[in-house]
Amino acid sequence: MSLPELHRYVPDLLADNYAAIDADLPQLLEVLFARSASEDWHKAGTFKHHLLGVYRALCLWEQPREVRMLGLFHSVYGNEYVNLTLFNREKERATLRDLIGEEAESWVSLFCAISRTRFVQAVLDGQGTGPEGLDLEDDKGEITHLTPRQVAAFIVMTVADVGEQWHSWQDEIFSGYPYQQKRELAPYWVASMWPGPLKPPANILHMLSRLVNILQAMPTDTGIPVPPAFRQGQGVLERKDEAAAAALYWQVITRMHPLTESVTARLMLESVIDHNPYVGEPRLLLAQLALTGGDFETAETQALAGLQALQSWGLAWDKRIAWEAWIAWARILLQHARNREWPKSLGALNGLGLVE
């Protein structure tokens, strides 16, 4: 059953009913899976999970079909970061064009060809926000011109792509992105061990918030909506706040606080939210603490805010658990807060599950 607070696409996304959003998506997924997308490794799972996660976010951000298709196929020609070439750019562009359309395929090809690091650097440096678009220079001095519509689409795509995959392992591997420096692996072997502790990222949402904020300065006729994350680009998360929120949250997760009372954990979670009000998971922990203490009003407020934040992102910040499971848990917390009930024993807590 759907809550009125659910985005209209959430039930279909949770049910893998992608055809309700894009009628041809089952066929497109068959093509991707036949070319090993379901078998290939990616930073927080498989390439399949990454592509579908990016697609999910773009759906919840109300992006047009061309951007959704860019998200689903954004690395299939290969790019500067990864070896995930599922289509031969020299021989198979017409094949992909027939599948997803001319504009979407041209964007996929362009997004794979440009230096995405240089693109992000240029946008953060204030370039490309005007009606003239962006002239992006590559390592060989060659210029690629991007229209304002392409700049906006590639910004949205970058936020979804990075946000879907980034956790503490990439905080280490790509430290300083998009100004990362090459570092030898051997001296940093500890940082290289995948997947690491799967802590929420401590140094990437600041950059993503700036990118979403920059979209507000773009021409209004691009046809690319500003994502709802970071209050639809109105908020910018400062570096110190992102780092503090991630550290405090992880202290609660790892029980680095007194275990004989819950007040300290509650205060720490409230501080997490003060530092970073844009993610949902800390609010869900706070809602559970409120339920345990019988504060159903606070529990409802925090559970609803957490559910809304998860939908604004379409991505998990705490990637130890999948986005779909966080959504289910948010709905469990919300329905129990509204029903003014919560288990009194650990065994009864284990028995929860049905979302009404």
Side-chain angles (χ1 to χ4, degrees):
M1 184 179 297
S2 298
L3 290 168
E5 294 88 1
L6 286 184
H7 188 287
R8 70 184 190 280
Y9 285 152
V10 166
D12 289 317
L13 289 168
L14 294 175
D16 295 339
N17 184 22
Y18 303 113
I21 303 171
D22 286 294
D24 59 346
L25 207 73
Q27 172 194 356
L28 298 177
L29 292 178
E30 286 183 9
V31 172
L32 285 168
F33 299 163
R35 292 171 180 251
S36 80
S38 58
E39 304 170 41
D40 297 327
W41 175 80
H42 207 268
K43 314 309 179 296
T46 66
F47 194 33
K48 163 192 169 182
H49 294 131
H50 174 60
L51 295 176
L52 285 174
V54 170
Y55 172 82
R56 177 185 65 232
L58 297 174
C59 290
L60 294 175
W61 296 351
E62 302 286 350
Q63 296 300 313
R65 175 180 165 84
E66 292 76 17
V67 180
R68 299 196 301 272
M69 293 301 101
L70 170 62
L72 195 63
F73 289 87
H74 67 271
S75 294
V76 299
Y77 290 137
N79 60 51
E80 67 173 316
Y81 300 137
V82 296
N83 177 23
L84 284 167
T85 304
L86 305 187
F87 286 79
N88 186 313
R89 185 202 304 271
E90 303 301 321
K91 301 178 180 179
E92 295 188 291
R93 288 194 61 183
T95 300
L96 188 56
R97 190 179 305 123
D98 289 343
L99 287 170
I100 65 175
E102 183 171 354
E103 184 175 38
E105 188 281 330
S106 69
W107 286 2
V108 171
S109 178
L110 192 56
F111 194 67
C112 289
I114 64 171
S115 166
R116 289 165 54 186
T117 298
R118 290 192 173 212
F119 172 77
V120 174
Q121 290 173 350
V123 171
L124 292 176
D125 204 28
Q127 302 176 42
T129 60
E132 69 280 0
L134 174 64
D135 288 329
L136 189 66
E137 185 176 354
D138 65 15
D139 294 335
K140 300 178 181 178
E142 297 180 358
I143 303 294
T144 299
H145 178 72
L146 304 178
T147 67
R149 178 169 165 84
Q150 290 170 334
V151 172
F154 289 4
I155 291 175
V156 169
M157 179 61 229
T158 297
V159 174
D161 179 31
V162 173
E164 194 285 330
Q165 63 182 280
W166 208 281
H167 56 91
S168 56
W169 186 76
Q170 281 181 293
D171 274 350
E172 302 276 12
I173 298 299
F174 259 29
S175 176
Y177 183 82
Y179 304 100
Q180 70 276 14
Q181 301 295 318
K182 181 179 179 181
R183 291 180 296 171
E184 296 300 319
L185 188 150
Y188 299 100
W189 68 268
V190 175
S192 76
M193 298 295 285
W194 186 83
L198 281 174
K199 294 186 294 184
N203 59 22
I204 198 65
L205 265 62
H206 164 72
M207 185 200 81
L208 298 185
S209 70
R210 288 186 60 198
L211 290 177
V212 178
N213 178 260
I214 286 167
L215 281 170
Q216 304 225 32
M218 297 285 297
T220 58
D221 60 352
T222 63
I224 309 297
V226 178
F230 304 110
R231 295 200 312 270
Q232 205 157 15
Q234 296 179 26
V236 173
L237 182 61
E238 297 298 329
R239 289 184 186 276
K240 63 180 181 179
D241 288 319
E242 179 180 8
L248 283 166
Y249 178 81
W250 198 246
Q251 283 186 288
V252 176
I253 293 300
T254 55
R255 295 163 172 79
M256 298 296 290
H257 52 71
L259 302 181
T260 54
E261 46 85 8
S262 62
V263 174
T264 303
R266 174 177 61 79
L267 293 173
M268 292 170 72
L269 288 169
E270 289 174 351
S271 184
V272 172
I273 295 166
D274 288 342
H275 284 293
N276 183 355
Y278 306 113
V279 295
E281 292 89 334
R283 295 184 183 274
L284 301 188
L285 270 67
L286 194 57
Q288 183 176 350
L289 280 181
L291 282 169
T292 301
D295 184 354
F296 297 110
E297 184 175 339
T298 296
E300 180 176 355
T301 298
Q302 293 299 335
L304 182 57
L307 178 62
Q308 292 171 336
L310 285 164
Q311 293 180 100
S312 294
W313 270 104
L315 309 166
W317 177 64
D318 182 345
K319 293 179 173 62
R320 298 173 306 138
I321 301 294
W323 177 85
E324 295 87 345
W326 281 117
I327 289 286
W329 185 237
R331 295 172 73 185
I332 287 286
L333 296 170
L334 185 57
Q335 75 187 30
H336 279 79
R338 288 174 171 172
N339 291 337
R340 299 301 192 258
E341 61 182 14
W342 191 244
K344 299 297 185 183
S345 71
L346 293 176
L349 188 67
N350 185 69
L352 297 176
L354 185 64
V355 175
E356 299 173 352

